[in-house]
Each structure stands twice: as structure tokens, then as C-alpha cells.
Amino acid sequence: MRIALLTYSTRPRGGVVHTLALAEALAALGQDVTVWTLARGGGFFRPVDPRVRLCAVPFEDVPGESVGERILRSIEVLREAFDPSAYDIVHAQDCISANAAGRCVRTIHHLDTFTTPELAACHERAIVSPYAHLCVSSAVAAEVRSGWGISPTVIPNGVDAARFAAATPLPGFYVLAVGGIEPRKGSWDLVRAFARLSDISDLRLVFAGGETLFDYRDYRVAFDQLAADLDVTPEVLGPVAHDELPGLVGGAAAFAFPSTKEGFGLAAMEALAGGVPVVARDLPVLREVFGPAVLYGTGPDSLADSLRTAIVKPDPARAAAGRALAFAHTWTDAARRHLDFYRSL
């Protein structure tokens, strides 16, 4: 089967990680797979199995370009480069690539609310226009069904659990969050929660990741001021090299996952694979995916309480359950289920 998987970037975001891992697993099953993307800042953030063809369309930053203008240009550049006639299945992983692809399958990883008109329109078209839909969790599929009357098929993510389980943990004593500083990641609540842990000596707050299409400069300015007001000094690493991430995750005293919207929670599942206790926001989707393998919180106070428990009283039984959960999600299984879905179309 000739399969095109489309994503919007070469940088390490959840949807891009998903796209590459799925492409490699499909190729390992003997499929003819090509990944199409916009090359933001160069090639992909990690080596890709040579059985997967890569078509990275050049896309340079334009100084002064607004978010809306960047969205429209992203769609147009990818649309002009991509020829769907060469493929049996065209599968888009985000709203930009779905708008560019034409007739396609779409994975809706999570739903969001946008105020930028161009982005809101992109989001809407990428839900209603595709002829077939997937979600990585039942909770998000239920949101799609409730909001649009569309019933996606659910295929959970895989996890490269062995990569995180085998890592040598970095030394240190820190709470780690991955995904950058942005509204959807609940960064403000995490700083407020961390401030409530000031009695735990030498504990650090570390943020990794953060590449995105969107402009969160105002949010970041407010974040920095909030941290200063609370006498918290977070360490903001920015994007972390692919080979360095497992050790960084594995060395954390706790992994904080206070996102306000998620589709699955791949970064938190990777932390569980590394034996790290996870504290997540109490969302239906995260309850579905993680069950009792993680601790939960709904706001700064309860997130702080759960972080304290995770750090001061780590639970070996919960850690073992989390590791088993992570290893139960394989990309090979996800790829087989995708193939069954493609064939049904």
C-alpha cells in the first residue's frame, strides 16, 4: 500500500513524533510510506528509518509575519508541493496538513479553541473536510462526536518504551515538564504548584521543549513575572536533543503533566516507561489513558499535593504499573491497526 503521512513540522512536537514512529512501524510491516512535511529550520529532529521516504518542503521564517499569515502560507506551500495522486492513502496528522492535503484521512489528536481567525478556520475545515477520522483516545473521539456528529475510530499511540527504560538517568533533583511554556501545557499552574513545594530542599523546576508555530511571547512574559513574584527560578532548556531526552526524563524526581488539553499524553507515557512518577491534570482523557498509574491534580494546590507525594513517598507498585502500561502500547500494534483501518476504506 502506498501511504503518505503528512505533518506540519520537522521539529519535536507530539504530532511529529507520532508521525515518524507510525511511518517507521508501517514501513517495517512492508508498506510503502512517505512522510511529507514543512522543513522548519532544517531536517527532522532525529534520524529516520531509511525505509521511509522523506519529503521536507523548504519553509523559511518570515520576519514580522503574523500567526494567521504563517498558517495560510504553511497550507499553501505544502499544498503546492504535495501530489496526492501517487498514494492509495493520504493521512494528515494536524490541521495544517489536512488543509493542504485535499481528500484525506485525519487523525484528530486533540481539540482546541483558537482566537486567530485563520487558525480557527483551519481547525474547523480539518475536522469536517476529511472523509475518514481517527483519534488516539476515546475521550477525544467523544468530543468530536458531540461537537460535529462525526464518529472517529480510536487507535491509541504507541510508545518507544524501551528507549526510555534503558536510559541512564541524569543526576539531579528536579521536577520536569516537557512541551515548553504555553497555555495548553498549564505552565502557570505548574509554577504556582511548585512554589508550594519550597520546603523541599534543593528541588528544581525544569522545562524542556517548546518549538511551536504559535507566538506565546506574551504568555512567556507573564510566566516570567509570575515566577519572579513567587520566588521560583525555573530552568528553561528549550528543545532537547533526541538522544539526551530519555536521560533527562529518567533523572526527574517527578514528571509534571498539567496540560489543559491532551489527546493521549505521549510524553507522560515515556516518563512512566523510565520509571518516573507522573502527576497529571485530572482530565477525562488522561484518566482513560493512565488510570491509577499516575497521580492527579486539578489546580495548583492539588497538583502540589500530588507532586509532594510522588517525590517524598514514591510508590514502587505504581511505578511498576506505569512501566507495564507504557510497554503495552507498541507502535507495531498501532501500525497494524492503522493498516486494518486503511484497508476498510
Side-chain angles (χ1 to χ4, degrees), residues 131-262:
Y131 73 94
H133 301 78
L134 292 165
C135 285
V136 293
S137 62
S138 296
V140 175
E143 289 184 68
V144 175
R145 189 161 49 249
S146 174
W148 287 269
I150 295 167
S151 295
T153 296
V154 176
I155 302 177
N157 270 326
V159 182
D160 191 356
R163 188 168 80 94
F164 286 83
T168 300
L170 290 185
F173 186 43
Y174 53 91
V175 172
L176 177 66
V178 172
I181 296 168
E182 58 185 75
R184 185 173 70 85
K185 295 299 181 182
S187 309
W188 288 356
D189 275 357
L190 179 53
V191 167
R192 293 186 177 101
F194 187 82
R196 290 156 169 79
L197 304 177
S198 59
D199 59 305
I200 302 180
S201 298
D202 301 322
L203 185 65
R204 298 148 50 208
L205 177 59
V206 179
F207 287 86
E211 291 287 3
T212 178
L213 270 177
F214 311 123
D215 186 352
Y216 294 128
R217 280 175 292 185
D218 291 344
Y219 185 88
R220 175 61 188 274
V221 169
F223 171 90
D224 289 342
Q225 185 60 58
L226 174 65
D229 291 345
L230 295 172
D231 197 26
V232 172
T233 307
E235 300 172 37
V236 182
L237 304 180
V240 174
H242 179 70
D243 291 340
E244 296 172 6
L245 183 61
L248 177 67
V249 171
F255 187 91
F257 201 62
S259 299
T260 60
K261 290 181 181 292
E262 285 291 344

Side-chain angles (χ1 to χ4, degrees), residues 41-124:
F44 278 108
F45 67 94
R46 68 166 177 85
V48 180
D49 188 321
R51 290 175 291 188
V52 176
R53 292 192 191 88
L54 300 177
C55 293
V57 182
F59 190 86
E60 301 300 325
D61 289 337
V62 175
E65 186 177 46
S66 69
V67 172
E69 290 168 338
R70 194 178 310 127
I71 294 299
L72 293 178
R73 184 166 65 92
S74 298
I75 295 168
E76 187 59 28
V77 168
L78 188 55
R79 178 186 290 144
E80 287 182 358
F82 177 64
D83 178 9
S85 66
Y87 304 101
D88 303 307
I89 292 290
V90 174
H91 184 173
Q93 297 289 338
D94 52 80
C95 79
I96 287 173
S97 62
N99 276 255
R103 186 174 186 272
C104 68
V105 176
R106 165 81 198 283
T107 294
I108 303 172
H109 289 270
H110 70 272
L111 295 169
D112 221 326
T113 302
F114 297 110
T115 56
T116 302
E118 296 88 347
L119 189 50
C122 174
H123 183 265
E124 180 69 16

